Amino acid sequence: MTCLSPSQLQKFQQDGFLVLEGFLSAEECVAMQQRIGEIVAEMDVPLHCRTEFSTQEEEQLRAQGSTDYFLSSGDKIRFFFEKGVFDEKGNFLVPPEKSVNKIGHALHAHDPVFKSITHSPKVQTLARSLGLQMPVVVQSMYIFKQPHFGGEVSPHQDASFLYTEPLGRVLGVWIAVEDATLENGCLWFIPGSHTSGVSRRMVRAPVGSVPGTSFLGSEPARDNSLFVPTPVQRGALVLIHGEVVHKSKQNLSDHSRQAYTFHLMEASGTTWSPENWLQPTAELPFPPLYT
């Protein structure tokens, strides 16, 4: 099973991230890809992506639809698209399976394949070796990073979006379903950047307002030369401390860079911010990782 060695634990504490190559088998990665293919084949494109706009009022309704769709996605399986994949009538300009940016935010709860990976004995053993007492799963996403237009993800800290008191209670688990290379948009980290708090927070606006979220604070200018690339092979798992600064570049290659990622929170002695965009619901309280 995947128990971290003392030196791996030390490296994670020092850098704020840790690469575990070969965490999942090729078969497990293929199972996720096949399942995601079925989910995409059956997807309903949300209405706010499908409508034509003319008046300002209709534009506002679209923005509101988009906001509501995102803000209420925490306990559902929903689809988020790349820019420029629809024409003005809402028809696809590229094949639907090449248009999706990500699927979120509750694959771990609603889909048997992703549930079994998230709660696998391997992941539970890993969490125990990190000392997590009562970890819960707060969200999950399948990220496509499509060839040629999988967009860049600017430098950020996950705790900006998933804020807790105290800090240091959120852990990202990022699994490469396909090889992540320098060309197709692998992750980049600033080692050691997880120790100086959170510079920016995304908070929920009052219900019904557009946009539905706003930012407190701002991302400081960061020296590009501080970032270290972490190309990994299919099946690798990357542990991501909630406050470590990371980014990924645009995918300029011919190959997608698919990944499955989920976030854990140590629930013992932790307050989940009521201002976070993502909130547990009656239908889906954050499920315990340990089964």
Side-chain angles (χ1 to χ4, degrees), residues 266-282:
E266 170 60 81
S268 177
T270 308
T271 304
W272 180 256
S273 172
E275 294 180 307
N276 285 341
W277 78 266
L278 176 79
Q279 293 296 325
T281 62

Side-chain angles (χ1 to χ4, degrees), residues 139-245:
Q139 69 159 9
S140 56
M141 290 186 290
Y142 195 94
I143 302 168
F144 290 83
K145 203 72 158 176
Q146 302 282 5
H148 304 298
F149 52 65
E152 72 172 320
V153 176
S154 57
H156 68 282
Q157 300 168 291
D158 291 344
S160 291
F161 307 92
L162 310 171
Y163 188 80
T164 60
E165 289 177 355
L167 281 168
R169 301 302 177 89
V170 167
L171 178 70
V173 176
W174 190 96
I175 297 168
V177 181
E178 298 177 307
D179 292 353
T181 65
L182 286 170
E183 293 74 38
N184 73 7
C186 68
L187 297 171
W188 294 66
F189 291 93
I190 300 182
S193 57
H194 59 301
T195 55
S196 38
V198 169
S199 51
R200 181 176 72 135
R201 281 184 60 194
M202 184 169 98
V203 297
R204 244 181 205 259
V207 175
S209 50
V210 176
T213 56
S214 60
F215 282 100
L216 308 174
S218 58
E219 289 294 339
R222 293 194 172 94
D223 181 353
N224 250 338
S225 66
L226 297 173
F227 283 92
V228 175
T230 55
V232 294
Q233 293 185 315
R234 174 169 76 166
L237 181 148
V238 185
L239 277 176
I240 303 176
H241 187 286
E243 283 105 82
V244 75
V245 177

Side-chain angles (χ1 to χ4, degrees), residues 82-159:
E82 291 291 354
K83 290 183 176 70
V85 298
F86 296 104
D87 67 16
E88 67 282 357
K89 292 190 168 60
N91 301 311
F92 282 107
L93 295 167
V94 296
E97 66 277 8
K98 299 269 187 227
S99 68
V100 187
N101 169 293
K102 65 180 183 184
I103 298 177
H105 288 89
L107 284 161
H108 63 279
H110 295 313
D111 187 85
V113 171
F114 290 95
K115 191 176 200 169
S116 71
I117 298 260
T118 307
H119 294 273
S120 63
K122 282 189 274 206
V123 170
Q124 295 191 40
T125 301
L126 177 62
R128 286 201 169 91
S129 75
L130 283 159
L132 296 177
Q133 303 292 308
M134 287 175 52
V136 295
V137 188
V138 297
Q139 69 159 9
S140 56
M141 290 186 290
Y142 195 94
I143 302 168
F144 290 83
K145 203 72 158 176
Q146 302 282 5
H148 304 298
F149 52 65
E152 72 172 320
V153 176
S154 57
H156 68 282
Q157 300 168 291
D158 291 344

